Amino acid sequence: YVRGTRGTITYINPSVGGWNSADGVAQYDTDLAPLIARYGCDLFVLAFGMNDAGGAPRTIAATQKKILNRVLEQSPAAGLLIVSTMVPNPDATNGWYGNQEKQQKSLQSLAEDMRARNASCAVACMTSVSKAVLEHKSFRDYSGNNINHPNDFFSRVYAQCLLETLIGYGNIR
């Protein structure tokens, strides 16, 4: 909880390392539904992708749509923020590099579909951001493990991208 002069923010992170979006759907009733029922949901952030490397982008977006639909069933006024994943190390030979960079376009289409249903939905395009950074930096400069995890620097870049997507830098006072 964070209590301020304008209210209280309850932040819950039920994520589980190693899960893919199908795991999120499978565990929704156990892990997410009770939290939303208890606390409500003003903003729901959905950030799968890295562990969905082998899936077709449309399939991954359809799986994520199931989660978003469930959130809106429980909390119809919730804002939805989908985060596309950073790309893993393109030079790694460990099998991590897959369809991650192809997912963002399908997620943007998903957000458009959600908005057509009058849901407030946006995509934080970390795939594009990570690819742009790769044009100027070595992957190991912003990775914590040189495979698929951001380091502290790139975690801040994630935060900046989320902030820009949510409110835009022009709205910060």
Side-chain angles (χ1 to χ4, degrees):
Y1 299 95
V2 177
R3 290 186 173 85
T5 58
R6 297 183 353 190
T8 300
I9 295 173
T10 302
Y11 166 80
I12 301 168
N13 181 357
S15 60
V16 178
W19 275 18
N20 61 30
S21 54
D23 294 318
V25 171
Q27 291 300 119
Y28 186 91
D29 289 333
T30 303
D31 294 354
L32 289 175
L35 294 172
I36 294 172
R38 180 173 181 183
Y39 299 104
C41 183
D42 295 319
L43 175 65
F44 185 81
V45 180
L46 184 63
F48 283 107
M50 186 62 70
N51 295 326
D52 284 315
R58 282 182 288 147
T59 302
I60 294 161
T63 304
Q64 292 191 23
K65 184 176 185 176
K66 291 177 184 178
I67 297 169
L68 297 177
N69 284 336
R70 294 291 308 277
V71 170
L72 291 176
E73 286 172 13
Q74 283 190 268
S75 189
L80 307 172
L81 178 60
I82 305 167
V83 183
S84 69
T85 189
M86 64 185 267
V87 294
N89 188 342
D91 298 324
T93 58
N94 54 16
W96 273 103
Y97 203 86
N99 286 332
Q100 291 96 336
E101 72 177 84
K102 298 174 185 171
Q103 294 172 15
Q104 183 174 285
K105 185 175 179 181
S106 292
L107 297 176
Q108 288 172 310
S109 294
L110 170 57
E112 289 172 14
D113 291 346
M114 300 306 284
R115 288 191 299 272
R117 294 177 34 206
N118 292 319
S120 177
C121 187
V123 178
C125 297
M126 284 307 301
T127 308
S128 295
V129 170
S130 65
K131 289 176 71 177
V133 171
L134 272 175
E135 292 177 12
H136 304 282
K137 296 276 187 191
S138 165
F139 188 85
R140 72 176 154 261
D141 291 339
Y142 69 88
S143 172
N145 66 352
N146 201 33
I147 299 171
N148 64 338
H149 288 280
N151 62 14
D152 60 341
F153 160 74
F154 209 63
S155 293
R156 288 197 277 302
V157 173
Y158 259 90
Q160 291 171 338
C161 183
L162 294 172
L163 186 61
E164 168 64 18
T165 303
L166 286 172
I167 64 172
Y169 292 125
N171 295 323
I172 299 173
R173 297 189 203 295

